[in-house]
Amino acid sequence: MSQETFLNYRRFKWLWITAAALVVLTIIYAVDRPIGGRNGGTAVGYTYGTLAALGIVWLMAFGLRKRSYRSSLGTLEGWLAAHVWIGLGLLLLVPLHSGFSFSCNVHTLAYLLMVVTIVTGIWGAANYSTLSARISAHRGGAKDELVVERIQDLSDQAEQLCRGKSEAFLKLYNEFCVPFKPSLGWILLRSRQPKVDASAASGMLSGVAEGERADAVSMIGLLDQRLDMLRSLAEQARIRALLRVWLYVHVPVSFALCVALVVHIFSVFYLW
């Protein structure tokens, strides 16, 4: 049995509702024969435009619903499902409103902003749950501060093993100890490190004195764990960067869409 997500919520409830509404609206559009041709200024055009505007306002309200933790107006997953499918429905409803007539004006700009808003919103919704889960999986439930502390602890243990050791031992340490500075820039740009190469480590171990080899093996094990944690921390940072980029695009474009919608409505009723 497949797991229920916001896309297939209640057996694709909002998909079927949106699809049924679009079928009815498309049939009405097809049989309508207004004088002067189909456009946003006909009865059907005004009706569809009103529905589209209400739909956009409702989509914007999702941001408020996400923060209303005690709301009794349906589940958040149900709202998200409706948000996605109704948003996709607007991609057809708005062209039906305008009679599929687009030109270089604020009306087309509003539509393009709506397309960007919907596409980025769907991308974010589809990826947020999986990416967020990957963050928890990579850090094993630990907070970033604890991960950084663990990395530092492994570094300290490896350094302790180096005290009083030969040059060959220190060379082995320097080969596999990646410098680490706990900053976002370092994590994003410098932490794509390979795992400890077993064959290379074995070759270098042969040059270490017999009495130091046990400590050398322990040190390599510590540095290998350290590299694993560095890669995990880097992956978390990259995931967070992706989510932030999405928000930096989706949210401003959403507000730009609202402004364009207001200008569009104002120009229709007061300038035409």
Side-chain angles (χ1 to χ4, degrees), residues 12-32:
F12 294 96
K13 169 186 174 181
W14 285 103
L15 167 61
W16 300 122
I17 291 175
T18 303
L22 287 176
V23 168
V24 173
L25 294 173
T26 301
I27 292 174
I28 295 173
Y29 174 86
V31 300
D32 184 45

Side-chain angles (χ1 to χ4, degrees), residues 5 22 40 53 68 71 80 90 99 111 113 140 177 183-184 195 200-201 210 222 232 250 265:
T5 66
L22 287 176
S68 301
S71 175
L80 181 56
L90 289 175
Y111 180 68
L113 289 172
C177 185
S183 65
L184 179 61
K195 290 188 175 182
E210 185 70 29
L222 292 172
S232 174
H250 181 68
I265 294 172

Side-chain angles (χ1 to χ4, degrees), residues 89-242:
L90 289 175
L91 296 178
L92 176 60
L93 179 58
V94 172
L96 290 176
H97 152 66
S98 66
F100 292 88
S101 175
F102 296 99
S103 57
C104 188
N105 52 38
V106 68
H107 318 302
T108 300
L109 175 62
Y111 180 68
L112 292 176
L113 289 172
M114 187 192 75
V115 171
V116 174
T117 301
I118 292 171
V119 171
T120 56
I122 292 172
W123 185 92
N127 284 278
Y128 189 82
S129 57
T130 57
L131 292 177
S132 298
R134 284 171 59 188
I135 289 177
S136 298
H138 274 287
R139 68 188 179 194
K143 294 182 178 180
D144 290 345
E145 294 81 1
L146 295 178
V147 175
V148 172
E149 288 179 9
R150 179 56 179 160
I151 291 172
Q152 188 59 51
D153 182 53
L154 291 170
S155 298
D156 293 341
Q157 292 181 51
E159 288 177 2
Q160 288 177 4
L161 290 173
C162 291
R163 292 176 181 174
K165 294 300 193 298
S166 65
E167 184 177 342
F169 192 102
L170 296 178
K171 182 178 179 182
L172 185 64
Y173 170 81
N174 292 328
E175 178 70 21
F176 298 111
C177 185
V178 178
F180 171 58
K181 296 179 181 179
S183 65
L184 179 61
W186 189 95
I187 290 172
L188 288 174
L189 301 176
R190 297 186 55 193
S191 59
R192 289 182 175 273
Q193 299 295 331
K195 290 188 175 182
V196 170
D197 189 327
S199 60
S202 298
M204 296 184 71
L205 274 172
S206 63
V208 176
E210 185 70 29
E212 296 179 345
R213 286 185 185 174
D215 284 346
V217 171
S218 298
M219 180 192 67
I220 291 175
L222 292 172
L223 295 180
D224 193 28
Q225 293 180 51
R226 182 176 177 274
L227 279 174
D228 283 339
M229 300 193 80
L230 286 176
R231 280 190 297 272
S232 174
L233 203 60
E235 179 65 11
Q236 294 175 45
R238 282 188 285 273
I239 290 171
R240 287 199 181 98
L242 282 174

